[in-house]
Amino acid sequence: MNNRITAWLNCEQVSIKDRETITKASLEERNIMFGKELTLSHGLLQGPSLPGSNCVNVINAKRATLSFMKLMKREYPDQRLSFVVSSDQRKGSVLIASEIIKLLLSSRIDVYADRDPHPSNALALALEQTHAYGIIQVRTSTEITSYEEIVFYQRDGVRLNQKEVEEFNQIYSSLPFDCKIEEKKEKGSLFYFDQTKDFDNSYLSYVDHVSPYHSYFCGERLIRPLVTVQGGSLAKLVYLLKKEHGYPLTFVDGQDYFSKEEPISCLDPVDLRSFEEARKQFNERRKIGEKINLIFNLDPSGEKVSLAYLNRKGDLSFLDSEEMALLLVSFSLEIMQRNKTLRPNYEILCTPSHSASIDNIASYHHVRVRETGNSFASISKELENLSKEMQMLLLGYDSKGRYLLSRKMREADGMGTMSYLLDMAEYYQRQGKTLDLVLESLFNKYGYFKRGESVISLEGKKKSLFDRIKNLSFPSVGEVEVLEKYDYSSLIKTDYLLETEEKLTLEPFSQIKLILKDSSSIRFEPISFSSVKVSYELNYDGIENVDSKEKMLIDDIIKAIK
């Protein structure tokens, strides 16, 4: 670590401010900044927005860009390269993106700059319209808001594969912090992506792709959604969705992007994590006569979508990620059965935290559920295996509200999911069903599970609490027999009924999952040396007092650990 600190401080590009930050940093802070080198994983560099070898900053962004250039020149040795560079509007992202653009232009590489970023999937489709050889996307992490991310995509709009990632990391680790490039006499050309025909074509192809069922409905739409967006590109995409497919969308956004064509109200974006704020905005719109019955919120990256709807009582209800997944799967299966297009090679890709109701509906319709790693990037990676095995994607999703409904897309697709949910809501509304009625029928058929979480802390042991749980055998929890234990850190599945162990073919991550006889599940994730988060999903079909079952479960776990 000390060698990396010394090399960094000797680098001419390090600013005075960053030198002061490093000099004044505590040992713990220095370990965060310099404990290791950044490495690319699933086409993604991710790290704190700080100076240091383990952080995403201008210096490391330049090294990464040079590594990507060298990698692409190996693949296309006789071509003049060009890249799309995109960033969100946060100050750190814009600064890094501008330095990347300068470096590319000075290396005689043409740049398509995306000033108000598309969602990742729209950018990937845009590559089909241009002669660009890849995308460099700079954005704030959707996982940890204090982290910055740089994502690299190949010419086909897909993140770098495993072989390319390994080559990238070899090049990156060989470059010094103060790596310099030989500037070419002829510079690259800079194009602003939103001023090219490719920009409009990518919008149109994306919007057409994400709304597969709109043509099923004739006449006036019954669903009237309020859509909250942050960012011009997303607003334009939603506007095109409205224009092309007939949904009477009402916008709420910080800017009036289309005042010349369409009057759009300018209110603060609704944060659907705040029930009262969403209710307030919803009621304001209803008071002025707007017959709104859905609220969508798209995050700035266009990856996540949240949904609130009017239930049968006329109150506002919110869908959690598992409820939304269950509705999406059910609707897809119903449409495919109606069209006689359902085949036995469809699969659901999901993280280990998925609900048992998804397992049940998949089993009922002979659809396979394939667990991936604990991140959406692992879902994207698994799509390659689907293609090789001639399997079809029904749905990919994680526990953070990110979904993927098409194998052609490779990133979480908030816009596509919103479009799909619009068509789904319209489909059920025409049958006189609100979404809570649909969910109730699904729960009755596939089981109802209550989700919750708790934190357990126990001090005074040599081993971490998570490691102690790893070594425990759980015969039962809350008076229910444990059938299986999944140790994702050691990649071992234990079947207590058959008394067998099986190797899991995933990338390891710190989580343990127990599957109980009644299809309930319990997950353990480390928070610190002496604390773990316990997440559970309890089957309470026929149980009058589910709260007592929750208490019994936590008490049993604590007793077993002690």
Side-chain angles (χ1 to χ4, degrees):
M1 183 172 77
N2 289 334
N3 290 337
R4 284 193 287 271
I5 294 173
T6 302
W8 192 272
L9 291 174
N10 289 335
C11 178
E12 293 178 5
Q13 300 176 53
V14 177
S15 67
I16 295 173
K17 182 181 177 182
D18 284 349
R19 291 176 192 276
E20 290 176 355
T21 300
I22 296 165
T23 304
K24 294 177 181 178
S26 65
L27 182 60
E28 184 179 351
E29 289 169 335
R30 288 191 176 196
N31 191 53
I32 291 170
M33 293 188 282
F34 293 96
K36 57 182 180 179
E37 282 267 14
L38 279 181
T39 54
L40 193 72
S41 178
H42 299 301
L44 171 74
L45 276 180
Q46 184 187 65
S49 306
L50 294 167
S53 61
N54 191 36
C55 305
V56 174
N57 45 57
V58 169
I59 291 175
N60 287 334
K62 287 182 176 180
R63 292 174 70 202
T65 303
L66 280 172
S67 303
F68 188 54
M69 285 166 49
K70 289 175 181 289
L71 184 64
M72 291 298 101
K73 282 179 179 176
R74 286 181 185 177
E75 293 195 25
Y76 308 104
D78 301 322
Q79 303 297 322
R80 176 169 175 171
L81 298 179
S82 60
F83 297 123
V84 173
V85 178
S86 174
S87 78
D88 60 35
Q89 298 305 298
R90 295 177 186 265
K91 187 177 179 180
S93 303
V94 172
L95 175 63
I96 289 172
S98 63
E99 291 297 322
I100 288 173
I101 290 171
K102 287 178 188 176
L103 187 150
L104 292 171
L105 293 175
S106 63
S107 304
R108 196 173 169 262
I109 291 176
D110 296 336
V111 175
Y112 291 86
D114 190 17
R115 296 182 291 186
D116 194 358
H118 290 59
S120 302
N121 289 311
L123 277 177
L125 282 175
L127 280 187
E128 297 178 5
Q129 311 288 337
T130 71
H131 60 276
Y133 287 79
I135 303 170
I136 303 174
Q137 188 179 43
V138 187
R139 65 192 190 191
T140 299
S141 170
T142 55
E143 302 287 343
I144 310 169
T145 53
S146 61
Y147 273 40
E148 199 81 37
E149 295 177 344
I150 306 178
V151 197
F152 297 92
Y153 298 87
Q154 307 173 57
R155 192 175 189 179
D156 57 0
V158 179
R159 291 192 192 193
L160 299 185
N161 61 37
Q162 189 58 40
K163 181 183 176 185
E164 290 166 330
V165 165
E166 290 172 3
E167 287 184 49
F168 179 101
N169 285 329
Q170 287 175 359
I171 298 169
Y172 182 83
S173 61
S174 69
L175 295 173
F177 294 137
D178 59 346
C179 56
K180 296 175 182 178
I181 62 165
E182 182 183 344
E183 293 197 16
K184 308 288 185 182
K185 290 183 179 179
E186 183 185 350
K187 307 296 182 185
S189 299
L190 175 62
F191 306 96
Y192 289 107
F193 202 43
D194 56 356
Q195 294 176 355
T196 67
K197 290 181 180 179
D198 305 318
F199 179 80
D200 292 331
N201 291 338
S202 66
Y203 270 159
L204 290 170
S205 59
Y206 181 60
V207 167
D208 185 61
H209 182 80
V210 300
S211 190
Y213 297 120
H214 68 277
S215 59
Y216 286 7
F217 310 120
C218 300
E220 185 180 356
R221 298 291 192 264
L222 301 179
I223 291 300
R224 296 177 174 273
L226 172 69
V227 181
T228 73
V229 293
Q230 301 172 51
S233 291
L234 283 174
K236 288 173 185 175
L237 281 170
V238 176
Y239 175 71
L240 279 174
L241 190 68
K242 172 180 181 173
K243 187 177 178 182
E244 296 293 314
H245 302 322
Y247 284 104
L249 307 180
T250 300
F251 287 87
V252 176
D253 195 274
Q255 297 181 54
D256 188 352
Y257 291 102
F258 307 103
S259 57
K260 293 179 181 178
E261 299 182 50
E262 183 80 14
I264 298 171
S265 304
C266 299
L267 302 175
D268 291 333
V270 176
D271 182 356
L272 289 192
R273 292 169 296 182
S274 168
F275 184 89
E276 291 305 319
E277 178 60 23
R279 183 193 293 274
K280 177 184 172 185
Q281 296 273 9
F282 184 80
N283 289 337
E284 283 182 9
R285 312 303 300 182
R286 302 270 290 184
K287 281 179 184 177
I288 60 176
E290 293 184 12
K291 297 179 181 179
I292 298 165
N293 44 24
L294 286 183
I295 303 179
F296 286 104
N297 179 53
L298 283 166
D299 76 336
S301 69
E303 290 189 352
K304 291 184 183 180
V305 62
S306 305
L307 171 62
Y309 65 94
L310 277 184
N311 60 29
R312 74 188 92 169
K313 297 178 181 177
D315 296 328
L316 204 58
S317 294
F318 293 81
L319 290 178
D320 66 29
S321 60
E322 292 297 329
E323 289 171 340
M324 199 180 293
L326 184 60
L327 284 169
L328 288 167
V329 169
S330 174
F331 174 60
S332 298
L333 291 169
E334 192 169 337
I335 291 294
M336 284 192 285
Q337 284 178 328
R338 190 183 79 171
N339 296 341
K340 298 181 180 179
T341 56
L342 181 60
R343 302 287 182 268
N345 63 334
Y346 275 93
E347 294 196 17
I348 298 169
L349 303 182
C350 51
T351 53
S353 56
H354 72 277
S355 170
S357 56
I358 293 294
D359 289 320
N360 293 342
I361 190 173
S363 175
Y364 183 86
H365 291 279
H366 308 290
V367 171
R368 180 185 173 188
V369 175
R370 186 187 301 215
E371 279 193 356
T372 64
N374 202 34
S375 66
F376 203 90
S378 64
I379 293 174
S380 300
K381 184 181 178 183
E382 196 63 35
L383 287 172
E384 297 176 21
N385 294 328
L386 277 191
S387 299
K388 291 174 185 175
E389 297 167 18
M390 304 298 288
Q391 297 294 96
M392 299 296 291
L393 176 70
L394 182 66
L395 176 69
Y397 80 100
D398 67 5
S399 60
K400 300 181 186 300
R402 293 178 293 195
Y403 305 88
L404 187 62
L405 288 145
S406 169
R407 199 173 65 180
K408 186 174 182 180
M409 300 293 138
R410 294 305 177 100
E411 302 293 323
D413 191 8
M415 269 292 301
T417 306
M418 188 188 83
S419 174
Y420 214 81
L421 289 166
L422 271 171
D423 293 334
M424 179 194 75
E426 182 75 22
Y427 177 79
Y428 290 125
Q429 190 73 31
R430 290 180 179 228
Q431 299 175 29
K433 297 177 183 178
T434 52
L435 294 183
D436 57 312
L437 283 171
V438 179
L439 278 170
E440 190 174 287
S441 66
L442 293 173
F443 292 148
N444 288 335
K445 189 171 184 177
Y446 302 112
Y448 194 91
F449 297 85
K450 180 175 181 181
R451 288 176 288 279
E453 60 182 47
S454 181
V455 174
I456 295 177
S457 299
L458 291 174
E459 303 285 351
K461 300 288 183 180
K462 292 182 179 179
K463 280 189 176 181
S464 73
L465 183 56
F466 183 75
D467 285 337
R468 283 149 59 194
I469 292 171
K470 279 178 62 173
N471 297 325
L472 286 176
S473 177
F474 290 89
S476 66
V477 178
E479 299 183 349
V480 182
E481 184 182 357
V482 176
L483 298 183
E484 296 171 336
K485 176 182 175 183
Y486 291 78
D487 181 352
Y488 295 106
S489 59
S490 302
L491 297 180
I492 295 173
K493 172 191 172 183
T494 303
D495 189 316
Y496 291 121
L497 200 61
L498 300 176
E499 298 182 343
T500 59
E501 287 190 350
E502 178 186 330
K503 191 72 176 175
L504 299 172
T505 55
L506 302 171
E507 290 190 5
F509 56 94
S510 297
Q511 188 182 116
I512 293 168
K513 182 169 75 171
L514 305 178
I515 303 294
L516 279 57
K517 191 173 184 178
D518 65 354
S519 297
S520 298
S521 64
I522 305 164
R523 291 179 292 116
F524 302 93
E525 297 173 85
I527 297 175
S528 65
F529 184 85
S530 57
S531 299
V532 294
K533 182 174 79 172
V534 183
S535 306
Y536 47 86
E537 184 182 67
L538 304 182
N539 183 342
Y540 68 91
D541 285 349
I543 296 177
E544 292 183 5
N545 191 349
V546 71
D547 293 334
S548 64
K549 184 174 180 179
E550 287 184 74
K551 185 177 185 304
M552 188 185 299
L553 177 144
I554 297 299
D555 288 345
D556 267 17
I557 291 170
I558 293 173
K559 191 183 297 183
I561 296 170
K562 285 183 175 179

